[in-house]
């Protein structure tokens, strides 16, 4: 067993990933912005778009955590 570090940063791309080299999950700011803008283009107000973006980030984080657990 080992600790998993959660990293949030600018990545230069819309992405999130698990790194087996340093046992970290990286959530790129670009993916957060992508989903926020996607929901804002729909019929969602700022608060709803923020909540939906947060829900998407939770799903993506759990997906990446799955990679970490398999590793």
């Amino acid at each position: 067993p080992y600790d998993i570090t959660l990293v949030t940063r600018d990545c230069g791309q819309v992405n999130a990933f698990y790194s087996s080299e340093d046992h970290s999950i990286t959530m790129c700011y670009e993916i957060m912005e992508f989903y926020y803008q996607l929901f804002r283009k729909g019929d969602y107000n700022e608060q709803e778009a923020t909540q939906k973006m947060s829900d998407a980030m939770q799903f993506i984080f759990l997906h990446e955590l799955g990679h970490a657990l398999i590793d």
Side-chain angles (χ1 to χ4, degrees):
Y2 46 82
D3 291 336
I4 298 170
T5 304
L6 177 59
V7 177
T8 55
R9 66 180 178 94
D10 286 318
C11 301
Q13 61 182 326
V14 176
N15 202 3
F17 53 91
Y18 169 71
S19 171
S20 59
E21 293 177 8
D22 63 359
H23 307 293
S24 67
I25 295 173
T26 299
M27 302 291 287
C28 302
Y29 294 136
E30 293 88 349
I31 199 166
M32 298 165 78
E33 182 65 21
F34 171 81
Y35 278 106
Y36 176 77
Q37 293 301 327
L38 180 69
F39 293 123
R40 284 296 287 157
K41 287 179 185 176
D43 291 332
Y44 298 107
N45 64 36
E46 186 175 335
Q47 183 179 0
E48 292 168 328
T50 299
Q51 181 59 53
K52 293 219 172 268
M53 179 272 298
S54 178
D55 292 344
M57 292 306 94
Q58 182 179 15
F59 176 85
I60 293 167
F61 171 74
L62 291 172
H63 172 89
E64 297 305 329
L65 184 58
H67 290 295
L69 292 171
I70 290 168
D71 183 49

